[in-house]
Amino acid sequence: VEQIFGTASPPLVGSLWGKLGDDLINAGLCLTVVWVPVAIGGTAISQWNSTGEYGQNLVTALNRLAATNITPTAFLWMQGETETLLGTTQAEYFARGSDMINMLRRQGAFSGNVYIATETYLKVGGIAAVSVPVQLAQAQLVASLPHVKAGPFLDDLGDAYRYDIAG
């Protein structure tokens, strides 16, 4: 098994993740928080489902945790900005998101709660936009699938908390 622990580097350093982990522990919601970043900026949800080129990355990361006797209890899905650019429909996002979550379940990689962030905010050329169809699909995933819950609503944050725009 490859080493899966190391020193945090951007986007984890200087971001909200360390503080969020501390807050989860201090609030008594978690005893330990381990962030396993597998994100690849600018990717579409179609790249993360069972037929996409990165879907297996999710399964591999979870299997590596299992090999070190770490059983994750939560999985946070934060993706949707690229869908705003692509004009992804509600039906497309829901189908691809369902497939991704079911892939994790089918392969036995994860059985805990999946938290879906509402995240579609994109700013290109000084013009900001969100995707209502993708927001609706993200809510539909929460309403339709077992052990899928609402994560943070990030579209209201704008530029201030985005390392890729603000800093």
Side-chain angles (χ1 to χ4, degrees):
V1 174
E2 287 182 36
Q3 179 182 350
I4 61 170
F5 299 103
T7 303
S9 60
L12 295 179
V13 172
S15 73
L16 62 97
W17 301 113
K19 178 163 178 14
L20 178 58
D22 290 343
D23 289 349
L24 290 168
I25 291 168
N26 293 336
L29 298 171
C30 299
L31 295 175
T32 305
V33 174
V34 176
W35 296 111
V36 182
V38 295
I40 299 174
T43 55
I45 195 166
S46 62
Q47 295 174 279
W48 292 97
N49 63 12
S50 64
T51 59
E53 63 258 45
Y54 303 122
Q56 197 58 41
N57 290 13
L58 299 174
V59 174
T60 298
L62 291 165
N63 286 337
R64 286 180 179 165
L65 286 173
T68 62
N69 295 318
I70 295 174
T71 302
T73 56
F75 181 98
L76 176 60
W77 179 252
M78 296 176 49
Q79 189 278 341
E81 302 98 319
T82 297
E83 311 310 322
T84 299
L85 184 64
L86 296 174
T88 302
T89 68
Q90 180 179 348
E92 290 168 333
Y93 194 94
F94 178 77
R96 293 167 184 163
S98 296
D99 181 65
M100 178 201 62
I101 293 165
N102 290 329
M103 170 190 68
L104 298 176
R105 307 275 194 225
R106 276 192 312 271
Q107 295 192 22
F110 185 72
S111 61
N113 289 327
V114 175
Y115 292 86
I116 306 290
T118 300
E119 184 170 22
T120 69
Y121 178 88
L122 180 68
K123 188 172 185 180
V124 176
I127 299 171
V130 297
S131 171
V132 172
V134 173
Q135 289 175 335
L136 291 171
Q138 291 166 338
Q140 185 181 5
L141 289 167
V142 171
S144 301
L145 299 177
H147 305 291
V148 177
K149 302 187 179 299
F153 190 94
L154 300 175
D155 283 350
D156 286 345
L157 295 179
D159 298 346
Y161 297 96
R162 296 186 56 100
Y163 78 93
D164 56 342
I165 294 174

